[in-house]
Amino acid sequence: MKQNNIQLNDDGQLRHFISIEGLKRQVLMDILDTAESFISVEAQQVRKVPLLRGKTITNLFFEPSTRTRNTFELAAKRLSADVLNVNISASATSKGESLLDMLHNLEAMHCDMFVVRHAQSGAAHFIAQHVAPHISVVNAGDGQHAHPTQAMLDMLTIRRHKQTFADLRVAIVGDILHSRVARSQIHALTTLGVTEVRVIGPKTLIPNDIASLGVHIYHDMNEGLRDVDVVIMLRLQKERMSGALLPREKEYFNLYGLTCEKLTLARSDAIVMHPGPINRGVEISSDVADGPQSVILEQVSNGIAARMAVMSMLLGQRFANETEGGQ
Amino acid sequence: MEIKHTLDEMTSQLTVNLQERGINDPLMIGIHTGGVWIARHLHESLQLSEPLGTLDISFYRDDFTRIGMNPEVKPSKLPTTVENRHIILVDDVLHTGRTIRAALNEIFDYGRPASVTLVVLAERDGRELPIAADVVGKHIKLSATQHIKLEGPDKLNLVVQETE
């Protein structure tokens, strides 16, 4: 429990955003409602709101990322914050500076928020434990643990197409074992009260303990896709695989790749999602990825609004509490 | 306080105001939440063809760094571009003027309007910014411990309350 409590202040408001696990339904709904309002900012001639003027948000990416870092940066800029991108591999750690020394230096530069991406599970939590009290930490993906803003943008995308979560059957397909995205999605979907979450994949890519999260496991994709409302495809994370976890790519595509033919097993109004980047012809065929049921590019747009919501709520609670303390 | 009669008076005042200035195709925008309720009535009685716009000024408030994010924030919806348009901005109560300042900033991020006319159901004392309304339904003087609130949306009712 302690792992999650660090995310909340004494009033139960979000102070850091490390993991979906342990957050109440209302907190997730507040994020979705706020994100929904930020979508309308896209319609402005000046696509910017002045909420975080004069605040500094630092992207600390210890692991390469294009889309996530770009959308975090755009989200911060649309909130009028200043953004500092720290390229870690080319920076301090290569000169022997410790992580904590680097954090304290950034604190001395009056940063307000760290957005952290790291290959180690628990990295964002560790940083949240050690930062100065006025700094908020957002987890932008830690190892195989969590990627909570990705899960929130996915929930936002689902809600914009399906209105309510209660009646939904959602299938998550592919490399569950290495996927922090899948873990965060499962926590979000079950917290928001969907009817059923299914995970579909080969035995080697589904962790043994996953059923304890309340999901149903399918190894046959044709069975698993039947009557679902949402199909979430995961990227095959070849860079994280060692040993004989995986059959050849072509064989994998035949068994677990999403094709138009397999998609007909889902409900006719089912939407197809993918966190990106997509491996065409490995986990998804091009005609599905570019087809009418695909909402993959909407996910990217919604990612900006979802991240704007999280960042503004985190810094907003801090200001509110500082004011109370100052009176 | 009953406001039906007030809304009728505001409609005629606004009609005259627009006629005198030669404005035929205004774009009406209501400020969440009470301003939208009032705007709906005026929009109907003026028989404006273009849909009503709605504005939530939460992202433009000047007290975000004091009170944080408004959890009730709603999306702003402007039906068309505001560029070069004559805007009628509608709110329920004009008090400090800070809401209107925020609304003007938000509108200007959507484009450069030709003009903005401010219409309020009620104005009270306590202005903190140099902002005045063009059409006012009621002028109300309150003591420092009182505030005024529009109840709705089914039956609109203006009530004066003692602040706790």
Side-chain angles (χ1 to χ4, degrees), chain A residues 203-264:
Chain A
K203 285 198 173 80
T204 48
L205 294 180
I206 292 190
N208 296 326
D209 58 347
I210 199 86
S212 66
L213 299 181
V215 303
H216 296 135
I217 298 171
Y218 290 79
H219 298 300
D220 179 342
M221 189 170 181
N222 293 334
E223 259 178 61
L225 286 182
R226 210 169 292 276
D227 298 327
V228 298
D229 302 276
V230 178
V231 185
I232 301 176
M233 300 305 298
L234 297 174
R235 186 173 68 87
L236 205 53
Q237 303 196 35
K238 288 176 282 187
E239 74 276 16
R240 292 188 210 275
M241 293 190 190
S242 51
L245 285 174
L246 193 66
R248 292 207 324 277
E249 275 180 14
K250 185 135 179 72
E251 196 184 338
Y252 181 85
F253 181 70
N254 287 338
L255 287 171
Y256 296 105
L258 186 62
T259 58
C260 285
E261 196 190 349
K262 282 188 200 148
L263 185 55
T264 58

Side-chain angles (χ1 to χ4, degrees), chain B:
Chain B
M1 262 179 272
E2 232 283 300
I3 63 161
K4 198 183 168 314
H5 180 62
T6 314
L7 285 171
D8 292 340
E9 276 180 3
M10 288 165 70
T11 305
S12 21
Q13 268 189 64
L14 184 55
T15 310
V16 172
N17 180 306
L18 295 175
Q19 268 166 5
E20 280 175 354
R21 294 156 68 207
I23 297 172
N24 311 311
D25 58 340
L27 172 63
M28 187 175 278
I29 298 174
I31 300 176
H32 274 295
T33 310
V36 176
W37 301 339
I38 302 296
R40 272 193 208 126
H41 282 267
L42 298 175
H43 188 265
E44 201 185 309
S45 50
L46 289 177
Q47 295 179 315
L48 299 180
S49 52
E50 231 169 323
L52 175 68
T54 61
L55 214 55
D56 186 310
I57 55 102
S58 298
F59 299 148
Y60 288 80
R61 293 174 68 109
D62 60 12
D63 53 4
F64 175 71
T65 55
R66 297 173 59 184
I67 62 171
M69 185 59 107
N70 169 18
E72 308 275 293
V73 58
K74 299 276 188 303
S76 292
K77 284 201 184 82
L78 299 190
T80 81
T81 170
V82 304
E83 193 73 25
N84 254 337
R85 298 297 305 274
H86 292 281
I87 309 261
I88 305 172
L89 182 61
V90 183
D91 204 2
D92 49 1
V93 179
L94 176 59
H95 179 198
T96 61
R98 288 176 191 269
T99 300
I100 303 304
R101 195 283 308 165
L104 289 172
N105 277 58
E106 179 160 359
I107 288 171
F108 276 72
D109 277 352
Y110 280 89
R112 181 182 185 274
S115 71
V116 180
T117 305
L118 179 59
V119 177
V120 297
L121 173 67
E123 72 159 5
R124 59 161 294 181
D125 48 322
R127 210 76 70 249
E128 292 167 2
L129 295 173
I131 282 171
D134 301 285
V135 172
V136 178
K138 285 178 193 289
H139 300 268
I140 295 167
K141 196 155 171 44
L142 297 175
S143 75
T145 61
Q146 291 177 310
H147 73 276
I148 190 163
K149 191 173 176 262
L150 182 66
E151 291 178 344
D154 297 333
K155 194 174 178 306
L156 294 183
N157 190 24
L158 202 54
V159 288
V160 175
Q161 295 170 327
E162 287 295 325
T163 317
E164 298 104 39

Side-chain angles (χ1 to χ4, degrees), chain A residues 116 129 199 209:
Chain A
V116 180
Q129 277 177 314
V199 297
D209 58 347

Side-chain angles (χ1 to χ4, degrees), chain A residues 3-298:
Chain A
Q3 163 107 2
N4 300 309
N5 284 347
I6 194 173
Q7 299 193 87
L8 302 174
N9 67 16
D10 293 341
D11 299 327
Q13 294 168 308
L14 272 183
R15 169 169 148 52
H16 302 293
F17 195 51
I18 310 292
S19 160
I20 303 283
E21 195 180 358
L23 294 180
K24 291 206 162 62
R25 182 167 189 275
Q26 190 56 49
V27 174
L28 303 191
M29 292 304 277
D30 285 348
I31 295 174
L32 294 180
D33 290 343
T34 307
E36 187 70 39
S37 299
F38 279 121
I39 287 176
S40 65
V41 173
E42 301 280 323
Q44 295 181 190
Q45 206 175 70
V46 178
R47 280 194 291 275
K48 227 173 175 32
V49 295
L51 277 185
L52 300 186
R53 276 182 69 207
K55 304 294 175 276
T56 304
I57 294 177
T58 304
N59 281 327
L60 288 175
F61 278 58
F62 298 84
E63 193 184 60
S65 152
T66 310
R67 186 181 345 255
T68 302
R69 200 189 62 77
N70 285 346
T71 49
F72 263 109
E73 181 168 351
L74 269 181
K77 287 180 169 169
R78 291 199 178 153
L79 291 166
S80 303
D82 297 309
V83 181
L84 185 62
N85 288 309
V86 181
N87 185 353
I88 309 286
S89 55
S91 172
T93 40
S94 57
K95 294 180 189 163
E97 186 183 32
S98 82
L99 172 64
L100 290 179
D101 281 334
M102 185 173 75
L103 293 181
H104 296 322
N105 272 282
L106 289 165
E107 284 168 8
M109 296 177 203
H110 302 288
C111 291
D112 298 282
M113 177 179 287
F114 293 151
V115 176
V116 180
R117 155 75 58 104
H118 202 290
Q120 286 289 322
S121 300
H125 182 254
F126 173 82
I127 290 173
Q129 277 177 314
H130 290 91
V131 291
H134 67 276
I135 290 183
S136 289
V137 176
V138 179
N139 184 3
D142 62 330
Q144 299 172 16
H145 171 237
H147 193 353
T149 58
Q150 174 72 43
M152 291 318 295
L153 74 89
D154 293 331
M155 298 307 115
L156 181 63
T157 307
I158 292 173
R159 192 173 74 164
R160 299 201 97 212
H161 284 272
K162 300 293 178 192
Q163 277 78 46
T164 160
F165 290 99
D167 303 322
L168 296 183
R169 288 176 202 283
V170 181
I172 306 175
V173 187
D175 179 5
I176 313 289
L177 179 66
H178 297 94
S179 180
R180 54 195 173 208
V181 173
R183 239 166 284 266
S184 287
Q185 286 166 338
I186 291 167
H187 285 298
L189 289 165
T190 50
T191 305
L192 290 167
V194 297
T195 300
E196 187 187 7
V197 181
R198 302 175 184 176
V199 297
I200 304 173
K203 285 198 173 80
T204 48
L205 294 180
I206 292 190
N208 296 326
D209 58 347
I210 199 86
S212 66
L213 299 181
V215 303
H216 296 135
I217 298 171
Y218 290 79
H219 298 300
D220 179 342
M221 189 170 181
N222 293 334
E223 259 178 61
L225 286 182
R226 210 169 292 276
D227 298 327
V228 298
D229 302 276
V230 178
V231 185
I232 301 176
M233 300 305 298
L234 297 174
R235 186 173 68 87
L236 205 53
Q237 303 196 35
K238 288 176 282 187
E239 74 276 16
R240 292 188 210 275
M241 293 190 190
S242 51
L245 285 174
L246 193 66
R248 292 207 324 277
E249 275 180 14
K250 185 135 179 72
E251 196 184 338
Y252 181 85
F253 181 70
N254 287 338
L255 287 171
Y256 296 105
L258 186 62
T259 58
C260 285
E261 196 190 349
K262 282 188 200 148
L263 185 55
T264 58
L265 295 166
R267 287 178 53 107
S268 59
D269 62 350
I271 55 171
V272 175
M273 300 170 64
H274 191 302
I278 57 178
N279 294 317
R280 290 172 186 265
V282 179
E283 70 260 351
I284 190 166
S285 70
S286 277
D287 49 359
V288 175
D290 306 328
Q293 286 168 271
S294 165
V295 297
I296 295 172
L297 291 176
E298 278 176 50

